[in-house]
Amino acid sequence: MSRWRSLRRWESGLIALLAVVTVVGGITHPALLGIYNLQTMALNNADLALLAIGVAPVIITADIDISIASMLALCGVLMAKLWTDGMDIWLAIAVAIALGAVLGLINGLFVVLLELPALAVTLGTMGAYTGVAFLILGGQAIINLPQSLVTLGSGNIGGTQIPISLVVVLALAAALAFVIHLTSYGRSLFAVGANRQAALFSGIPVVRVRLLAFVIAGVFSALAAVLYVGNYDTAQATIASDQLLPAITAVILGGVSAYGGTGTIPGVVLAVVLLAVLQAALGLAGLSGQAQTIAVGAILIIAIGAGAGINAFTGLRRPRRRAAVSEQLGSG
Amino acid sequence: MSERPAVSASSRLRALLRHNETGLLGILVLITLIAAVAVPSFSSSGNPTEILDNASLVVIVAVGEYLVIVTRQIDLSTAATLGLSAYLIGELVGGLHVGVLGPVVGIVASLGLGAVLGLFNGLLVERVKMPAIIATLATLSIYSGLQVVATHGSQLYADQLPSWLANIVSESWIGLSPLVWAAVAVTVVVALVGRRTSWGRDLYAMGSNPEAARYLGIRTSRRTYQVFAACGALAGFAGLLYAGQYGNVDATAGNGFELTAIAAAVIGGVSLFGGSGTAFGAALGGLLLTEIENILALLKISIFAQQTLQGAAIVVAVAGYALISRRLDRPTRRQLGTAEDRGDSSAQAGSVPSAAQELRA
């Protein structure tokens, strides 16, 4: 029984799906697995990966943040603007990350302290943040950013073919996975998401846990901004506005329930890889960007529909952390 | 309306204040008066009718969205439905030569197309048990992808449309364009259905407490299909009018409309927690949003600052409604002691609003 347990996890299904897409795509279009294509995939999805894993804690606590792409744009614009005004680029990056934390905190304060629906609040701040980004740059774009930032976003590790941003993303994902799956804060996240009332009565500081989740989303959006601006060597208010849907899609596809309480960071990373490979394969097959969009939407529906269907028959579960949480609460 | 308390004068005042539309109408009148005095070109000929014309599509989609949100669901795919319908139905009626039957065919076809797309959303939510926000996010990308496939890079131009459709803004029936009348008609019908029929009361019951609604014998899954279909149908109808209003329809028609419509409903007092709000409120929200946009444009405030202000308006409106309704509700809730009974386990993301309140207490 326990030997089969790992096979019943949501992530196993993702790996299987990824294997199928990779094998089928690799056979029909060998270029899919060429080094150039793999590099491009890694570079162009680095920001998406950070957005997705960053918003995962918010969704795990049964909230939502649809302002992540706007926070990316605003942080990227501010960073570039500070640099053109003469600030050192590393200091500008630090300021941008701090701004991300503040923006996330603003979302969190509205949602948690004023007890407003997260969707409505972040719908509002989404417009507000993008608007502020526009006010800073007024429709212009900043290009020709310093070499150090461009190398960070689009260069390879010296002497190898491995993009620096890939390593950065994996390191940040590992750090976030550690926080979420191996610390008491992480366990509180799942407890709050599974049953807010019960978490409250168990003595979990629900307000602080939810606030911090929003701050994490803000910080990761800012980190995504650094890689995005470095990769494309462009900062303007409209950047990444089309990344919101793929990011949320990746989180849900990665096994995080939109009702909160379940999900894993490795699952979300796998989902980003799956979406990236699928998109590249469809592109090589000559399908337009819109056909790819349809495919992404369809995959989302099929994955969740199939998950629900199989679940009904065999008990295959999306990653469950509720059991772990209740054990924790029971022993504590 | 079932929960409206009666008797004493103070509670009657409360009941009046509880009507968000009263306050909203006040704000709308106030802004209009200030703008008429302070902004010279605001009351110039043509501008007031332009505001109404521009508000019409937002109002129609927002009123459809109201039906869905009241049941504690959400539909993010309305913009794609609108765009798809604008192109397909525009092309359909452009190629038809059936004389006076043209408008009938166009309206029925646009409502039908929208209803089918909306029904698919309902199916995902009710059958596949996907959270509405995720399901309609997925269909938003699917429908807008279909829109691009359908248009295959080409455009629909105004001269391809029949005259009844191309003239919906320029014609005038008793001072208002047919477009505005369509928005008025939709609002009145949905408002009556929402507040005066048992079907409408079912929706409020579902939004207030889905579980209790089921135990009451309300056919909740059937209602879910119906509200998504109705919301889609109205978005489809708005698509037909979009073609008439703007003339040109391409693959990007309607982009971003879903959030405007939701914003209008939210500003109009339709709670995303479900169970409260009215069609009139959603319509007033759409009108208010459009009027503010118009004033900012007249003041030559950049479109970028407009976006910021619009976003801020949403947050302020939501916060305002929450604070007002909490203040009004407090005594009643304390009497009944049910403040925390409203958050149930099947709630949408972001619910159980009383948790933080509890903590502070």
Side-chain angles (χ1 to χ4, degrees):
Chain A
M1 182 68 195
S2 64
R3 193 191 301 171
W4 298 106
R5 224 181 138 153
S6 66
L7 278 182
R8 305 192 349 183
R9 294 179 60 102
W10 183 262
E11 287 85 350
S12 312
L14 281 179
I15 291 175
L17 205 54
L18 181 59
V20 170
V21 171
T22 313
V23 168
V24 172
I27 290 172
T28 50
H29 297 279
L32 179 69
L33 302 177
I35 184 70
Y36 172 77
N37 211 7
L38 290 177
Q39 269 182 342
T40 315
M41 261 194 273
L43 289 174
N44 291 354
N45 288 288
D47 57 303
L48 178 66
L50 290 185
L51 280 182
I53 59 173
V55 79
V58 174
I59 300 182
I60 288 172
T61 58
D63 283 315
I64 186 103
D65 187 345
I66 60 170
S67 71
I68 45 174
S70 303
M71 292 195 283
L72 188 163
L74 180 49
C75 293
V77 161
L78 182 83
M79 177 180 71
K81 179 72 177 160
L82 289 175
W83 174 73
T84 51
D85 290 348
M87 190 184 273
D88 178 66
I89 186 65
W90 296 105
L91 189 57
I93 289 175
V95 173
I97 292 170
L99 175 70
V102 171
L103 297 178
L105 187 65
I106 293 174
N107 286 337
L109 287 174
F110 273 114
V111 174
V112 180
L113 285 190
L114 291 180
E115 299 161 26
L116 304 176
L119 183 65
V121 169
T122 54
L123 173 67
T125 56
M126 175 169 78
Y129 294 163
T130 308
V132 174
F134 268 120
L135 288 179
I136 292 176
L137 280 191
Q140 292 171 319
I142 293 179
I143 54 169
N144 292 327
L145 287 135
Q147 193 53 45
S148 50
L149 180 64
V150 174
T151 309
L152 179 64
S154 64
N156 291 333
I157 292 176
T160 66
Q161 305 265 42
I162 303 166
I164 296 173
S165 60
L166 177 66
V167 178
V168 172
V169 167
L170 290 179
L172 287 170
L176 190 62
F178 172 80
V179 169
I180 286 186
H181 299 307
L182 296 172
T183 67
S184 68
Y185 171 71
R187 280 189 291 274
S188 319
L189 269 182
F190 288 101
V192 169
N195 190 333
R196 206 166 282 167
Q197 211 97 39
L200 193 68
F201 294 146
S202 315
I204 291 172
V206 172
V207 168
R208 218 185 311 150
V209 168
R210 292 173 70 197
L211 268 182
L212 193 52
F214 277 101
V215 173
I216 291 174
V219 168
F220 272 77
S221 298
L223 293 166
V226 175
L227 293 188
Y228 187 102
V229 173
N231 185 28
Y232 297 102
D233 196 6
T234 307
Q236 68 184 105
T238 53
I239 56 171
S241 57
D242 55 352
Q243 294 288 54
L244 169 66
L245 301 193
I248 304 278
T249 302
V251 175
I252 301 300
L253 192 58
V256 179
S257 160
Y259 294 125
T262 64
T264 68
I265 295 300
V268 176
V269 174
L270 271 175
V272 173
V273 176
L274 175 62
L275 289 177
V277 174
L278 185 72
Q279 211 149 17
L282 291 174
L284 284 175
L287 287 171
S288 67
Q290 286 308 318
Q292 296 173 25
T293 316
I294 298 180
V296 169
I299 278 264
L300 185 60
I301 291 175
I302 291 166
I304 294 185
I310 297 169
N311 191 12
F313 286 109
T314 67
L316 173 81
R317 292 283 153 95
R318 315 178 104 216
R320 283 185 81 89
R321 294 281 151 182
R322 274 178 217 196
V325 168
S326 52
E327 277 164 29
Q328 179 67 22
L329 292 175
S331 65
Chain B
M1 56 196 290
S2 53
E3 60 179 270
R4 190 184 302 163
V7 207
S8 80
S10 78
S11 70
R12 198 164 298 163
L13 179 68
R14 261 190 203 139
L16 186 66
L17 280 177
R18 201 184 283 269
H19 282 294
N20 289 325
E21 297 77 45
T22 319
L24 205 58
L25 201 59
I27 293 175
L28 192 64
V29 170
L30 193 69
I31 290 180
T32 308
L33 287 177
I34 293 174
V37 174
V39 187
S41 43
F42 180 77
S43 38
S44 70
S45 71
N47 193 49
T49 47
E50 193 185 318
I51 295 178
L52 291 177
D53 286 336
N54 288 343
S56 297
L57 292 183
V58 183
V59 165
I60 292 173
V61 181
V63 163
E65 197 73 62
Y66 142 81
L67 288 173
V68 174
I69 297 178
V70 140
T71 65
R72 211 186 269 188
Q73 307 284 4
I74 195 141
D75 187 351
L76 294 176
S77 70
T78 47
T81 304
L82 184 153
L84 194 57
S85 159
Y87 188 81
L88 289 180
I89 307 300
E91 204 171 45
L92 172 76
V93 295
L96 279 180
H97 299 285
V98 289
V100 285
L101 278 180
V104 179
V105 173
I107 291 171
V108 170
S110 66
L111 288 171
L113 174 67
V116 169
L117 298 176
L119 201 59
F120 184 63
N121 289 332
L123 204 71
L124 291 178
V125 171
E126 194 53 45
R127 254 308 142 71
V128 189
K129 297 289 174 206
M130 286 173 80
I133 186 169
I134 303 303
T136 55
L137 198 62
T139 55
L140 170 65
S141 57
I142 293 177
Y143 297 165
S144 58
L146 288 178
Q147 189 186 349
V148 178
V149 173
T151 55
H152 42 79
S154 67
Q155 278 197 22
L156 192 67
Y157 294 104
D159 56 9
Q160 289 170 265
L161 298 174
S163 61
W164 63 267
L165 185 56
N167 294 337
I168 54 166
V169 179
S170 54
E171 252 179 73
S172 173
W173 298 348
I174 332 176
L176 297 175
S177 66
L179 177 65
V180 176
W181 283 116
V184 171
V186 165
T187 307
V188 170
V189 168
V190 175
L192 287 177
V193 170
R195 299 295 279 181
R196 294 270 178 269
T197 66
S198 64
W199 189 83
R201 278 190 291 274
D202 285 356
L203 308 188
Y204 285 88
M206 287 166 63
S208 306
N209 193 333
E211 209 121 332
R214 217 172 0 258
Y215 289 134
L216 274 173
I218 293 171
R219 297 166 184 269
T220 53
S221 43
R222 187 179 292 187
R223 293 288 172 273
T224 305
Y225 291 129
Q226 287 164 344
V227 289
F228 275 105
C231 178
L234 288 178
F237 179 52
L240 174 74
L241 301 176
Y242 180 100
Q245 184 176 12
Y246 295 105
N248 287 1
V249 181
D250 62 10
T252 61
N255 276 6
F257 216 86
E258 69 279 2
L259 296 182
T260 315
I262 293 172
V266 165
I267 287 182
V270 181
S271 165
L272 288 178
F273 290 134
S276 77
T278 65
F280 278 127
L284 283 175
L287 196 55
L288 189 62
L289 211 55
T290 314
E291 183 175 280
I292 292 175
E293 207 171 294
N294 176 272
I295 293 169
L296 293 175
L298 289 179
L299 291 174
K300 304 253 187 309
I301 289 175
S302 78
I303 188 138
F304 314 131
Q306 290 181 29
Q307 205 170 1
T308 313
L309 288 171
Q310 210 177 45
I314 296 171
V315 177
V316 169
V318 175
Y321 286 126
L323 295 178
I324 291 170
S325 80
R326 254 165 240 157
R327 178 138 304 170
L328 289 175
D329 280 354
R330 204 165 290 151
T332 350
R333 278 204 194 167
R334 193 172 298 154
Q335 280 164 4
L336 301 170
T338 55
E340 57 287 331
D341 291 350
R342 305 179 93 196
D344 62 298
S345 55
S346 65
Q348 282 282 6
S351 81
V352 195
S354 53
Q357 206 172 20
E358 286 284 310
L359 193 73
R360 271 183 279 151

